[in-house]
Amino acid sequence: MKKPEQGDIWSGHRVIAHLDMDAFYASVEILDFPEMAEMPLVVGGDSRRGVVSAASYRAREFGIHSAMPIFRAKQLCPGLICRPVRMKRYLEVSRKVMGMLGSFSPLVEQVSVDEAYIDLTGSGKVLGSPSHAAADIRERIFSETSLTCSVGVSTSKLAAKIASDMNKPDGLTVIPPDRVSRFLRSQPIGKIPGVGKKSEKALRDIGVKCLGDIRKLPPDFLKSKFGKGGERLLSIIDGRGTSPVVPWTEPKSISNERTFRRDTRDPEVIRKYLLMLSRMVARRLRKHGFAARTVTLKLKTSDFREISRSSTMERGTMVGREILREAVRMIPEA
């Protein structure tokens, strides 16, 4: 019996690639300032309250990682190089990378400034096998930008994303259809996108160390304890977590909201929630590489009236405390 060709394995299955640029901000800095290539380098605010936005792989050898306070990073590595965030430059490189992906497939979903999904289904006759196509993507990006990326390929966005993180930096990992189920079941629960630190701990406390352990729990218990998160894990283990690749469009706005358990007029309580929401919005702005000029505050009263106020700043921002400052100014008098 003839052994199937590599492409035959994928017959009837989707082919999804996930591309993740390696230490993107830090790598762009090294690209522009090659004399720093061998130095431990981070990108972020160089102040007592600044945090690491990105760390080079050399810096990571000292235990430095993103979201770490700059002062802590300097304690771990006294010779650390701190570069300011140059979002305009990162967006310039990002647009070039994302433009290249469009030549491989019309279905490209950009999820952040340095990350995207590409649907390669049905492209075998033009691009070759999935592994060959992914290798071509990596080679093209490196040849035109001198930057490396890691790519994962599988039958779903979820599996492809996990795969892209397995052999970083400059890695290529392919999980073919006949290995997907076993691959997902073996993944540590904390590796599943969307499972945060608190959920990971709660799941580990009840014996769920890898995704396959979900089968040990009654579905009703999982749903009652973890809500939609529990339902999502069940859908993944049942093979139903297969969202399509949707071509990305720039959002016109980014927002977050919270509903209080009890009505309140306490300005400190309101300010505390505004601080949390401002940080969340700023984090999402930075993730997508956006800056916002207009801040809108919406409040809903106990009789369901909605109060809406807006303030436009002179320049765009992606800093939580600047968004908070505008929001606090718009709180109505009690």
Side-chain angles (χ1 to χ4, degrees):
M1 182 175 177
K2 183 182 177 183
K3 184 177 179 180
E5 296 293 331
Q6 186 175 0
D8 296 341
I9 301 172
W10 297 84
S11 179
H13 296 277
R14 293 197 306 165
V15 182
I16 309 298
H18 178 261
L19 174 139
D20 192 4
M21 300 300 293
D22 297 321
F24 184 54
Y25 292 6
S27 296
V28 173
E29 293 299 323
I30 292 170
L31 176 69
D32 291 350
F33 304 95
E35 65 274 15
M36 299 181 183
E38 300 303 317
M39 302 177 185
L41 176 148
V42 298
V43 176
D46 190 9
S47 69
R48 179 73 186 177
R49 303 181 69 180
V51 297
V52 175
S53 295
S56 69
Y57 286 96
R58 181 76 180 89
R60 294 182 193 188
E61 294 174 8
F62 292 85
I64 297 169
H65 55 77
S66 60
M68 174 180 284
I70 290 288
F71 79 87
R72 176 58 180 153
K74 287 183 174 180
Q75 288 175 345
L76 292 172
C77 178
L80 187 67
I81 304 296
C82 294
R83 293 286 305 164
V85 176
R86 296 188 299 147
M87 189 53 68
K88 184 176 179 181
R89 173 59 173 150
Y90 309 147
L91 286 172
E92 177 187 352
V93 179
S94 174
R95 292 189 188 102
K96 187 172 184 178
V97 170
M98 299 304 161
M100 291 179 214
L101 299 183
S103 66
F104 290 88
S105 170
L107 296 177
V108 176
E109 181 179 344
Q110 183 180 350
V111 291
S112 70
V113 70
D114 60 350
E115 185 181 359
Y117 294 100
I118 312 104
D119 191 332
L120 299 171
T121 308
S123 63
K125 291 184 178 180
V126 177
L127 302 177
S129 69
S131 58
H132 187 274
D136 281 351
I137 290 172
R138 293 171 61 245
E139 184 179 326
R140 171 94 179 273
I141 289 172
F142 183 75
S143 67
E144 296 195 24
T145 69
S146 298
L147 296 174
T148 64
C149 65
S150 295
V151 178
V153 183
S154 195
T155 58
S156 69
K157 290 164 70 174
L158 176 73
K161 181 175 176 62
I162 296 172
S164 69
D165 194 47
M166 294 185 68
N167 291 300
K168 290 179 82 55
D170 197 20
L172 170 58
T173 305
V174 179
I175 310 299
D178 59 347
R179 286 178 46 208
V180 172
S181 179
R182 185 169 67 253
F183 169 74
L184 289 177
R185 290 198 307 269
S186 68
Q187 291 305 305
I189 196 66
K191 285 283 188 180
I192 306 301
V195 177
K197 295 292 184 183
K198 289 183 179 179
S199 295
E200 179 184 3
K201 183 181 184 306
L203 286 162
R204 284 184 170 277
D205 287 346
I206 57 176
V208 178
K209 296 180 179 179
C210 62
L211 184 61
D213 293 334
I214 291 292
R215 289 289 192 202
K216 300 175 183 178
L217 303 175
D220 289 343
F221 168 78
L222 195 65
K223 292 176 184 177
S224 64
K225 187 169 178 63
F226 296 98
K228 290 184 178 179
E231 292 182 11
R232 177 173 173 271
L233 291 174
L234 285 171
S235 71
I236 292 171
I237 203 71
D238 290 339
R240 293 181 282 114
T242 54
S243 58
V245 173
V246 179
W248 186 86
T249 56
E250 291 190 358
K252 291 183 172 59
S253 66
I254 289 177
S255 65
N256 280 94
E257 62 181 41
R258 280 294 184 275
T259 301
F260 296 152
R261 291 184 177 181
R262 298 182 182 86
D263 295 341
T264 183
R265 287 178 176 271
D266 187 336
E268 285 305 311
V269 172
I270 295 172
R271 192 182 187 285
K272 174 181 150 186
Y273 274 84
L274 284 177
L275 173 61
M276 175 185 68
L277 294 171
S278 297
R279 286 174 171 172
M280 293 168 69
V281 168
R283 192 178 303 120
R284 292 171 62 195
L285 285 169
R286 291 193 295 270
K287 177 181 178 182
H288 291 292
F290 295 143
R293 286 188 62 212
T294 300
V295 177
T296 299
L297 175 68
K298 290 185 179 181
L299 298 171
K300 187 169 285 187
T301 64
S302 57
D303 58 359
F304 299 101
R305 286 188 305 112
E306 188 174 276
I307 301 169
S308 179
R309 296 179 177 180
S310 295
S311 172
T312 299
M313 298 174 285
E314 289 186 8
R315 60 182 181 82
T317 185
M318 57 181 72
V319 179
R321 64 177 175 272
E322 294 181 2
I323 296 171
L324 173 66
R325 183 185 62 224
E326 295 300 310
V328 168
R329 286 199 311 106
M330 293 185 282
I331 298 175
E333 295 283 337

